[in-house]
Amino acid sequence: MSKITVIGVGYVGLVTAACMADLGHTVVAMDSDSSKVHALRRGEVPFYEPGLAELIGAQGDRLTFTSDPVQAYRHGESIFICVDTPPTYSGDADLSRIWRVIDALPPEDGDRVLITKSTVPVGTGAAIRTELAQRGLAHIRYCSNPEFLREGTAISDFRFPDRIVIGADDPATLDRVEKLYAGLECPHVVKTDVPSAEMIKYASNAFLATKISFINEIANVCEATGADVRTVAHGMGLDQRIGPHFLRAGIGYGGSCFPKDVAALKQLAGNSGYHFQLLNSVIEVNELQKRRVIGKLKRQLGEELRGRRIALLGLAFKPNTDDMREAASIVLASRLLAEGAEVVAYDPIATENARSILPAVTYATSAMRALECADALVLVTEWPEFVELDWPTVFRTMRHALVIDGRNVLPGAELVEMGFAYEGIGTQLPERGITG
């Protein structure tokens, strides 16, 4: 087993540290934010991820936390860089945290490997190796090892990956990093050069985002032509060349990865002299999709939304996370407030994170509280508890029984039978009119 240092205890870093310790490695996780470190030492995880707190608590002495870079770097034979690379105003990835990690490397001899898990533009690895050589640290091996963790299922994704991508310039480094994952059930280990490994991450996320925007465009056409996007997506997905995944129409993608990675790849292409026109469309479709709910509400309630009470169920960008980054709820709530509507929202996990982003929203303590005297219910995040609501009670609770299903997961036909007016995304059901 190896001695591993993980730099950064954000989402990727903390999951990586806990899972590597679970594989039997001795891990020191370092973060410059001492308050995070102290909280983790007390057993407090700074974000919600199912099973992560329990996994960290089970590691004992194999996983420790520090804010001391000297301790962290001294420990690690393998050093994982897991810091954020958020977008800048120009659309480029902000690599300042990456470079702070590189600048802090001590001038020590020793056989170490520096492993970048952070999502970085193609060419970053080459720039890091140049910097290491200029500082007399050319003996440090370098590897690109992008992560493919999904929020809400990160531990399972780590333990049962569909592929592990390792990019390095020499076979010895490739083999060394591969051994760190010994014990995992993984059907494919992709060993390649550093630029290709860096591009695999960007290309993967951009392609998945493209599938989402494509099916949302198909859903919009379905609404205009009388087709049902759920049936269309099912028929498409049976083609093995297409597959069923990421073909569920909705109100757009969000989160920490897709928006920034699509934008960064588009910017990378532009900086290289290539106009990536397809990604421009992917981004535009996604932004417009978040706003189409407003049109559905106006069609049902009238053009004037001022004074209407709109209940948003779900705030996080997806279930099983409290992550509000690029969530559709932010755009939707902001647009409704701008229209003069009263917005009341409920999310099982993400409410506290939402308060600072959307202070003008009223936050309910339960879904049923949010629906009291509401003119419309908008399903934003497909938490299972929303699918399982007591719909007869919901009908009696709301002022107007209007449901906008932003994720196409509610029993639309049954709701219409109960007397609700129902609209999904690209679906075709008989509608009851809203009056008053």
Side-chain angles (χ1 to χ4, degrees):
M1 293 300 164
S2 297
K3 295 180 178 180
I4 292 176
T5 292
V6 174
I7 308 298
V9 295
Y11 185 84
V12 173
L14 196 52
V15 172
T16 298
C19 289
M20 280 294 179
D22 191 52
L23 286 175
H25 302 295
T26 304
V27 180
V28 171
M30 194 276 285
D31 199 281
S32 58
D33 187 340
S34 59
S35 63
K36 282 187 180 179
V37 170
H38 291 312
L40 286 164
R41 288 173 177 171
R42 295 192 300 267
E44 301 171 8
V45 177
F47 53 85
Y48 178 76
E49 176 63 33
L52 183 56
E54 294 79 3
L55 183 63
I56 291 172
Q59 299 314 311
D61 293 338
R62 285 199 302 270
L63 176 58
T64 56
F65 300 98
T66 184
S67 55
D68 181 0
V70 175
Q71 175 190 354
Y73 288 120
R74 183 182 297 129
H75 171 82
E77 300 166 336
S78 300
I79 301 172
F80 283 91
I81 302 177
C82 301
V83 296
D84 289 344
T85 55
T88 64
Y89 289 116
S90 68
D92 297 285
D94 181 357
L95 300 181
S96 60
R97 294 173 179 85
I98 295 281
W99 289 114
R100 282 200 289 270
V101 173
I102 303 304
D103 291 342
L105 286 169
E108 296 181 0
D109 294 329
D111 187 15
R112 301 176 190 272
V113 57
L114 191 64
I115 306 166
T116 298
K117 271 204 170 295
S118 303
T119 303
V120 296
V122 179
T124 302
I128 289 174
R129 284 175 296 176
T130 298
E131 176 67 17
L132 292 175
Q134 290 176 347
R135 291 182 52 201
L137 298 174
H139 60 279
I140 296 179
R141 302 170 185 266
Y142 182 79
C143 173
S144 174
N145 177 216
E147 55 85 20
F148 301 98
L149 304 177
R150 296 170 296 172
E151 294 188 43
T153 59
I155 294 173
S156 176
D157 290 344
F158 188 99
R159 288 173 169 167
F160 305 100
D162 47 20
R163 82 279 206 200
I164 295 172
V165 176
I166 305 169
D169 288 339
D170 62 282
T173 301
L174 292 169
D175 292 342
R176 176 169 169 172
V177 174
E178 182 183 13
K179 288 178 181 177
L180 296 177
Y181 293 94
L184 296 182
E185 298 181 20
C186 181
H188 305 288
V189 176
V190 180
K191 295 181 179 180
T192 184
D193 55 85
V194 172
S196 296
E198 293 170 337
M199 181 59 84
I200 285 170
K201 175 60 185 288
Y202 273 125
S204 296
N205 281 353
F207 182 74
L208 294 176
T210 300
K211 287 188 75 172
I212 294 171
S213 283
F214 178 83
I215 200 61
N216 282 336
E217 286 277 73
I218 293 296
N220 298 338
V221 177
C222 285
E223 291 184 0
T225 59
D228 191 302
V229 74
R230 294 168 300 185
T231 304
V232 173
H234 174 69
M236 290 173 59
L238 295 175
D239 188 327
Q240 294 183 1
R241 297 167 300 174
I242 298 173
H245 303 295
F246 288 82
L247 287 180
R248 190 172 71 191
I251 53 177
Y253 60 77
S256 62
C257 291
F258 285 6
K260 78 176 182 65
D261 290 354
V262 171
L265 179 55
K266 172 194 153 188
Q267 190 67 26
L268 173 67
N271 293 344
S272 303
Y274 180 74
H275 179 57
F276 208 144
Q277 187 170 345
L278 176 61
L279 289 188
N280 284 330
S281 298
V282 169
I283 294 167
E284 181 181 10
V285 168
N286 192 59
E287 290 307 306
L288 292 174
Q289 195 70 12
K290 298 174 184 179
R291 293 164 168 78
R292 285 181 63 84
V293 171
I294 304 299
K296 292 176 179 292
L297 289 168
K298 287 184 174 182
R299 183 164 62 249
Q300 293 284 353
L301 297 174
E303 287 296 318
E304 182 60 68
L305 294 180
R306 181 173 300 278
R308 295 290 193 177
R309 180 179 171 92
I310 311 298
L312 304 184
L313 295 190
L315 293 163
F317 86 95
K318 64 181 288 189
N320 293 318
T321 181
D322 59 357
D323 197 340
M324 287 291 298
R325 285 175 288 184
E326 301 291 337
S329 62
I330 299 174
V331 172
L332 181 53
S334 299
R335 285 293 308 124
L336 287 168
L337 291 168
E339 293 278 348
E342 176 191 1
V343 180
V344 57
Y346 171 72
D347 189 286
I349 299 295
T351 296
E352 289 307 310
N353 287 346
R355 288 184 188 276
S356 60
I357 302 171
L358 298 167
V361 168
T362 300
Y363 294 94
T365 57
S366 70
M368 294 307 298
R369 289 280 189 182
L371 294 171
E372 290 178 355
C373 298
D375 292 296
L377 178 166
V378 180
L379 183 77
V380 182
T381 311
E382 61 273 34
W383 287 94
E385 69 179 73
F386 300 150
V387 181
E388 299 165 3
L389 285 172
D390 180 348
W391 292 105
T393 301
V394 170
F395 186 85
R396 294 190 298 269
T397 298
M398 296 179 67
R399 179 183 296 122
H400 291 113
L402 169 61
V403 173
I404 306 296
D405 184 357
R407 299 298 177 183
N408 285 352
V409 295
L410 300 180
E414 295 177 23
L415 295 181
V416 171
E417 286 295 318
M418 292 181 196
F420 285 90
Y422 172 91
E423 283 203 41
I425 307 296
T427 60
Q428 301 298 326
L429 287 171
E431 299 176 6
R432 289 175 59 90
I434 294 293
T435 59

